[in-house]
Amino acid sequence: MNDVRCPAGHRKVDTLYYQLAEELAQAITSGVLKPGEKLPSIRKLSAQRHVSLSTVMEAYRALEDRGLIEARPQSGFYVARARLLNLPGLTQPPCEPLEVVTPPVLWPYQASELKPIRVDFGLAILDPDLYPTQQLQRLLSQVTRHQPKLLADYGKPVGDGELRRHIARRALAWGGQFEADEVLITHGCLEAINLCLRAVTQPGDVVAIESPTYFGLLQMLESFQLKALEIPTHPQTGMSIEALDLATRDGKVKACLLLPNFSNPLGCLMPDENKQRLVALMAERGIPIIEDDLYGEFFHRGERPRPAKAFDPAVEDGGGNVMLCSSFTKALAPGMRIGWVVAGRWQREIERLKFINTYSTPLALQQTIARFLENGGYDHHLRRLRRAVAEQVGAAVDAIRRYFPSDARLNVPQGGYVLWVELPPQVDTRELLRDSMAEGINFTPGELFSPSRSYRNCMRICCVETWTTRHEAAIRRLGELIQTRLPLPD
Ligand SMILES: Cc1ncc(COP(=O)(O)O)c(C=O)c1O
């Protein structure tokens, strides 16, 4: 299980057979290839794809090991009979705005009082070994050695000029057209979202959110006495634009807060066409979009997806309705808590609120990150991080398919590192958590991701460490514990 490298030292994800297997796996789990459907013969697929026979054979073998296809003697390869399909279509939350009340289970959960944890699928915090901490530590010492006064300086509320320039420069790659002075540095993505919500809402207002959504965002709504309107969300394509259109006709919704790129917990990715429609619709109705792009860099294949902000015209051209929030906490340095916001039309108000909220963000930390970006190692680091994360997720998906009951539904994300599993309705995942924690296995119960507590039979599994036999055994054990909560077959 520790074997995440091929014998030649190449990463598995770089090999042709792995890429072919992944592509077919995606087609199977999304239902493009149906259970029982015959796959092309090895010879035919090899000719179609211009790859060797052995590449196709390897890919088919990998899919067989994952239980996705089966070989039938004298006949060929077929998509296996249904086992752990993708989640069905849109989620169906209640259509009324709700006050947010944090369930009591959240606090011990966040305060890590659930110890001792042997295997942690609970918090979305990646293994510290995945980060270039030694390089950062060296840069931090250099920065403070050369400029000790940074430690005696508040810095400007908007943040360090160099860091803001790097953020604007990097955004050019996805079509982000903003200047360095439109970026404001924050304490992580959470402070960025916090400032945006305060800029555009009043207590009692309604905010449209994905359903399910990250519990940290729900807590923020709760603390500002905002109501949440859960919008049906598709496990592959994200928030339904049609549902949002209907929900925002009466003028009650004052902001839309969402993660178009690899949402937490569904991992869905909104197609560009939908992002475009989202931006146009919200601009037309005068509803600001608060976009959380924390996981945008965590794509498993292809290119970095564009944030919705890419479709928002500049303020001078009548745009600036999207407030883009992100941070370096997941991608580079969780402990530094450096985030940012590009707030468009609300820029001045956000600057005012930052001044009131925390005044500024530690300069030495901002400059350390700016140096890291300057030195050019960031893209290399991101490539390694993405590969490691994609492998962790792939291994977890395989294990869940092997050990969870066949009527569970799993969403295979295209990016990020959280998995969302829907279990049969009899399974209450809070009770399951109580049992699994007795054995030191942590995960997040689904109830925490919705103000209507709609997802009691769901669970979020975070894939934050290199996969080992310990993780495999924990998933197997979770599968057994789930099985004990299901009625015996007749
Ligand atoms: C969706 C989402 N937004 C924001 C955050 C917090 O971001 P930061 O650590 O940069 O404040 C998290 C943390 O898990 C998250 O999952």
Side-chain angles (χ1 to χ4, degrees):
M1 276 306 136
N2 277 317
D3 173 30
V4 290
R5 282 177 182 277
C6 297
H10 295 300
R11 288 279 186 164
K12 229 170 37 175
V13 287
D14 294 330
T15 58
L16 275 179
Y17 94 85
Y18 185 85
Q19 286 163 6
L20 181 60
E22 276 306 300
E23 204 182 301
L24 291 169
Q26 184 71 28
I28 293 168
T29 52
S30 65
V32 172
L33 288 170
K34 300 267 177 288
E37 194 170 320
K38 188 166 191 215
L39 292 163
S41 70
I42 291 176
R43 198 166 292 283
K44 191 164 169 198
L45 193 56
S46 130
Q48 278 173 354
R49 294 308 187 89
H50 307 295
V51 293
S52 68
L53 293 174
S54 62
T55 298
V56 179
M57 264 152 61
E58 278 287 297
Y60 277 5
R61 210 169 291 145
L63 291 169
E64 237 187 321
D65 288 348
R66 289 164 68 170
L68 287 175
I69 67 171
E70 56 202 20
R72 295 191 197 156
Q74 316 294 326
S75 177
F77 288 91
Y78 291 79
V79 178
R81 296 280 161 209
R83 244 190 89 73
L84 272 197
L85 294 178
N86 264 10
L87 286 165
L90 288 175
T91 56
Q92 296 181 337
C95 39
E96 284 303 306
L98 294 174
E99 269 175 38
V100 184
V101 182
T102 301
V105 67
L106 187 58
W107 291 115
Y109 186 83
Q110 282 188 321
S112 301
E113 283 167 20
L114 294 175
K115 301 250 162 156
I117 296 172
R118 267 191 320 109
V119 186
D120 199 349
F121 297 124
L123 292 177
I125 299 176
L126 287 171
D127 187 339
D129 287 347
L130 292 169
Y131 296 106
T133 25
Q134 282 187 354
Q135 269 167 282
L136 289 167
Q137 186 257 321
R138 271 198 300 273
L139 288 172
L140 179 59
S141 325
Q142 274 173 25
V143 162
T144 49
R145 200 169 49 244
H146 294 311
Q147 305 171 77
K149 289 218 168 121
L150 288 181
L151 299 174
D153 185 355
Y154 265 61
K156 292 188 205 137
V158 288
D160 175 71
E162 272 304 285
L163 182 60
R164 297 165 80 204
R165 191 177 64 74
H166 280 297
I167 291 168
R169 182 181 57 79
R170 289 192 63 81
L172 288 173
W174 52 255
Q177 304 272 349
F178 48 82
E179 309 281 329
D181 61 10
E182 292 175 71
V183 179
L184 178 131
I185 306 296
T186 57
H187 285 271
C189 188
L190 282 180
E191 191 191 27
I193 297 170
N194 183 305
L195 299 177
C196 292
L197 280 172
R198 280 163 66 185
V200 299
T201 62
Q202 304 287 330
D205 281 353
V206 177
V207 177
I209 54 165
E210 290 152 315
S211 180
T213 199
Y214 170 51
F215 51 77
L217 303 183
L218 294 176
Q219 283 178 290
M220 220 183 285
L221 297 186
E222 180 181 18
S223 74
F224 294 144
Q225 295 165 36
L226 294 166
K227 290 190 184 134
L229 178 59
E230 295 178 77
I231 306 293
T233 300
H234 192 279
Q236 295 293 319
T237 55
M239 183 184 276
S240 157
I241 309 297
E242 290 73 21
L244 183 67
D245 177 5
L246 285 175
T248 51
R249 284 188 183 174
D250 62 7
K252 287 197 184 126
V253 170
K254 299 296 180 218
C256 178
L257 168 58
L258 79 170
L259 285 85
N261 292 334
F262 314 130
S263 77
N264 174 6
L266 280 178
C268 42
L269 172 63
M270 185 180 276
D272 278 356
E273 189 200 326
N274 291 17
K275 286 175 185 157
Q276 228 162 337
R277 287 169 58 210
L278 167 81
V279 173
L281 180 70
M282 292 297 96
E284 188 186 300
R285 305 229 162 123
I287 303 172
I289 295 175
I290 303 173
E291 176 174 29
D292 178 344
D293 191 45
L294 191 63
Y295 295 101
E297 294 288 355
F298 285 88
F299 49 100
H300 294 172
R301 62 188 82 84
E303 293 178 354
R304 192 213 195 281
R306 291 195 271 179
K309 181 76 184 166
F311 303 97
D312 183 27
V315 180
E316 312 80 80
D317 301 327
N321 194 46
V322 180
M323 310 166 87
L324 175 69
C325 305
S326 192
S327 79
F328 292 104
T329 56
K330 301 291 181 191
L332 181 61
M336 293 199 179
R337 308 288 301 124
I338 302 290
W340 68 90
V341 50
V342 181
R345 249 188 278 159
W346 289 273
Q347 187 183 344
R348 294 287 162 248
E349 179 58 6
I350 293 285
E351 285 172 12
R352 192 183 72 83
L353 288 167
K354 169 70 186 178
F355 183 91
I356 297 168
N357 204 41
T358 50
Y359 189 85
S360 62
T361 307
L363 266 182
L365 300 182
Q366 293 188 59
Q367 290 215 355
T368 301
I369 293 196
R371 288 273 178 96
F372 189 88
L373 299 181
E374 183 75 46
N375 292 353
Y378 190 41
D379 285 312
H380 174 68
H381 157 69
L382 282 178
R383 278 195 293 277
R384 283 186 40 208
L385 182 66
R386 275 196 288 266
R387 275 200 296 258
V389 161
E391 285 187 359
Q392 286 162 200
V393 170
V397 165
D398 288 352
I400 290 171
R401 286 206 179 108
R402 258 194 296 280
Y403 299 119
F404 276 27
S406 57
D407 43 0
R409 294 284 173 266
L410 165 72
N411 200 38
V412 181
Q414 298 169 60
Y417 45 91
V418 302
L419 298 175
W420 182 251
V421 186
E422 185 182 295
L423 299 170
Q426 303 89 329
V427 184
D428 181 328
T429 51
R430 263 178 327 171
E431 290 171 13
L432 180 69
L433 179 66
R434 199 193 47 220
D435 292 354
S436 72
M437 273 310 298
E439 303 183 25
I441 305 170
N442 188 25
F443 66 85
T444 321
E447 179 186 338
L448 298 187
F449 297 88
S450 143
S452 56
R453 318 258 167 107
S454 295
Y455 304 103
R456 283 173 193 267
N457 59 325
C458 297
M459 62 201 293
R460 185 187 73 172
I461 295 196
C462 296
C463 316
V464 292
E465 295 175 328
T466 304
W467 201 255
T468 63
T469 45
R470 191 168 51 87
H471 300 90
E472 186 81 6
I475 292 288
R476 189 176 61 227
R477 186 62 190 138
L478 278 174
E480 287 163 5
L481 290 172
I482 294 166
Q483 204 69 56
T484 59
R485 301 189 164 272
L486 295 176
L488 291 171
D490 294 334

